[in-house]
Amino acid sequence: MTENPKHSLDTESRNRPSKILKTQDFVDDNEEGEEELQESSFVAESMSSNPKLQRYLIAVEYIGTKFAGSQKQLNGRTVVGVLEEAFCKFIGQQVSVSLSSRTDAGVHALSNVCHVDIERISKRKPGEVLPPHEPAVVRRAVNHFLQKNEGDIMVTDVRCVPSDFHARFKAQERTYFYRFLSGPEPLSTFEKDRAWHVLEDLDIVAMQEACKVLVGHHDFSSFRASGCQAKSPIRTLAEISVSEVASTLYFPSITEREQNCENGENSCCKKFKTDLPMGSHSNTNVAESSFGETDLGFGIRRRHRCFVVTARARSFLYHQVRLLVGVLKSVGIGDLTTSDVERILSAKSVTAASPMAPACGLYLGHVKYDLP
């Protein structure tokens, strides 16, 4: 079963009525299409746990470009499939990886989380159960096998947790980031499939005003793709905001380093903001360097302005973040106003929204837990 189907614009399925109370937010339907599971299955799983198994909570980062999504499929390379293969090579037997948050094809993760149960069996004496591996051992061993693959996924943290700790149901909050690169210059090779390239300049102030309409507790039917299996379109956005950040890595030249040493840190910051051809923290200065006609020298490219949308909530509807970002982009280029965003939200139909943002700019940033 694929978690990234090509959904038609079926108005009826997007606009299902609901009278679910606010507490329904605690049913987890993640941004990239997590279907609802009954909590009773989670309880049953915990009650039937093998006492010889050690449950590990595992944080992973990955570049989503070459993955057909996170959830295991019959055909296609997936995050879960690659992780299960690495664990199998490590311990010599099949395991089941349970993700906290599903991500669609092309979506990246700075930190996604899963849990896995491992029974450590002696290779010298088959059948003998040994004490569990230390988390550091699990991390090093699994990464060893992951890096023999494409090298686009890595375990970043491992922790032992009780057998009833579920990566999905215990998650308290999820944070997504979406990156825009704004400007007419061709996108750098280093940024391919890492951000949404918008040719126009973006009005960050207008986008920030639009965010004020979207934050909070709403019926998000207008920001819910047709394949969404959530029982309720009601969600609470704890945060949705837009900020401008430095676009990419910056490597100062010898001359710049010498000048920085001579003039001190304040002068260094000033130079970074005003003279550098590829980036700034100041909106005005970035626009001048990005879109102006200043001769930067042969082989030196102008950077784009980089904007990041942050969306934080207990759970999200299917494609909710990307639909929200699509509307914010339309506001940023002047096609929509804050009043239009209010109208779209009130319409409770995804047909009222702007086209969905592409997957390449979306990052699952963090999954929050109250760890034991």
Side-chain angles (χ1 to χ4, degrees), residues 23 94 194:
T23 53
Q94 296 292 331
R194 304 291 193 277

Side-chain angles (χ1 to χ4, degrees), residues 58-73:
I58 297 168
V60 294
E61 64 180 14
Y62 51 86
I63 298 168
T65 307
K66 295 183 180 180
F67 287 104
S70 61
Q71 208 63 15
K72 200 169 182 178
Q73 303 175 20

Side-chain angles (χ1 to χ4, degrees), residues 221-293:
S221 294
S222 295
F223 301 93
R224 175 189 192 182
S226 61
C228 183
Q229 297 178 359
K231 294 179 181 178
S232 169
I234 308 296
R235 289 295 181 270
T236 301
L237 279 180
E239 175 187 359
I240 183 164
S241 60
V242 186
S243 58
E244 184 169 10
V245 300
S247 56
T248 53
L249 296 174
Y250 160 59
F251 303 96
S253 67
I254 294 175
T255 302
E256 289 168 340
R257 291 199 301 269
E258 290 175 349
Q259 290 176 343
N260 293 342
C261 291
E262 292 174 0
N263 300 329
E265 182 179 356
N266 291 336
S267 179
C268 170
C269 294
K270 181 178 179 181
K271 185 171 184 62
F272 181 72
K273 290 181 179 180
T274 57
D275 298 335
L276 285 184
M278 299 183 71
S280 166
H281 294 291
S282 165
N283 292 358
T284 302
N285 292 328
V286 176
E288 291 173 355
S289 64
S290 298
F291 304 111
E293 298 298 327

Side-chain angles (χ1 to χ4, degrees), residues 2-6 32 62-71 73 77-79 102-108 318-319 322 357-362:
T2 301
E3 74 276 22
N4 183 31
K6 301 294 185 181
E32 292 304 320
Y62 51 86
I63 298 168
T65 307
K66 295 183 180 180
F67 287 104
S70 61
Q71 208 63 15
Q73 303 175 20
R77 181 172 180 261
T78 66
V79 174
R102 295 184 184 181
T103 54
D104 223 351
V107 175
H108 317 292
Y318 183 54
H319 284 163
R322 289 166 61 187
C360 61
L362 184 62

